[in-house]
Amino acid sequence: MKKKHAAEKRHRTIGIVISSIAAVGVLALIIVMVVANGTPRTSPEAIEIDGVQNYPNLVAGHVEGTVDYEQSPPAGGEHASVWLNCGVYTEPVPNENAVHALEHGAVWVTYDPAQVSGDELEALQAAVPSTYSVLSPYEGLQSPVVISAWANQVELDGVDDPRMQDFIDKFWQGGDAPEIGASCSGGIDGGGRIA
């Protein structure tokens, strides 16, 4: 009987110790999550990005046919009446439809396929937001990667340029887009849409 009583006491003690350790672990996890999520996000207006070009006073009208844009790739202006569905494309997309997606608050990440491929392209695909973004090749870019939002654009030195995330934080679903939050699906797909 003494042995049974001692074994029960030992099991209770072990149970209490394990439960206490688990409770401390859960409490530590909660504290870490609160501290991490409690860190205030930097205001988009406060983000400064070297090399950003701003194109004020762009007209947001719908037109038929092609548009002769001042920027390459375009960062806004007149555009097709149907937007490009946001996503990842392996082929160039129509400028006029992509600009309409910019009007809705999307970012358009273009890359020169002669300079970006393989692992770098996979890294670029992983870096763009899963919604309200277009990623597509754009031959003849002046830099390996160019990211655009309505009326704003920056040429990046490569796929690992930290300014890309700053640009996304500042302009994705924000910035100067005339129709922030309008649909980024239900339009048309360009060639080679994979996601």
Side-chain angles (χ1 to χ4, degrees):
M1 186 78 154
K2 277 185 165 186
K3 284 184 178 181
K4 185 177 178 182
H5 184 62
E8 288 175 358
K9 186 176 179 182
R10 189 172 44 250
H11 289 299
R12 269 195 312 271
T13 303
I14 291 172
I16 291 170
V17 168
I18 290 173
S19 296
S20 297
I21 291 171
V24 167
V26 167
L27 183 60
L29 182 62
I30 289 171
I31 290 170
V32 167
M33 290 175 64
V34 167
V35 169
N37 290 331
T39 304
R41 184 175 165 230
T42 302
S43 167
E45 293 80 23
I47 298 172
E48 296 290 329
I49 305 168
D50 288 338
V52 169
Q53 296 293 313
N54 179 263
Y55 306 99
N57 306 318
L58 293 175
V59 177
H62 294 172
V63 297
E64 296 294 323
T66 60
V67 177
D68 184 23
Y69 291 103
E70 292 184 26
Q71 309 87 33
S72 181
E78 293 182 326
H79 51 270
S81 60
V82 180
W83 58 91
L84 180 72
N85 290 325
C86 290
V88 177
Y89 293 87
T90 60
E91 298 174 16
V93 297
N95 287 339
E96 294 77 14
N97 302 102
V99 168
H100 196 149
L102 295 180
E103 182 185 37
H104 291 186
V107 293
W108 184 14
V109 181
T110 52
Y111 62 93
D112 186 338
Q115 300 180 66
V116 177
S117 62
D119 291 343
E120 286 186 327
L121 181 54
E122 288 180 19
L124 189 58
Q125 290 172 347
V128 298
S130 61
T131 61
Y132 284 92
S133 67
V134 173
L135 173 66
S136 67
Y138 203 100
E139 293 184 9
L141 289 177
Q142 55 276 20
S143 65
V145 179
V146 176
I147 186 169
S148 307
W150 187 270
N152 295 280
Q153 187 174 79
V154 66
E155 298 175 5
L156 303 176
D157 297 327
V159 300
D160 57 352
D161 191 322
R163 293 177 297 162
M164 182 164 73
Q165 187 59 53
D166 289 341
F167 191 93
I168 291 168
D169 291 342
K170 185 173 182 81
F171 296 110
W172 180 81
Q173 279 293 276
D176 301 316
E179 296 180 8
I180 295 171
S183 185
C184 204
S185 61
I188 65 162
D189 284 338
R193 185 168 191 251
I194 59 173

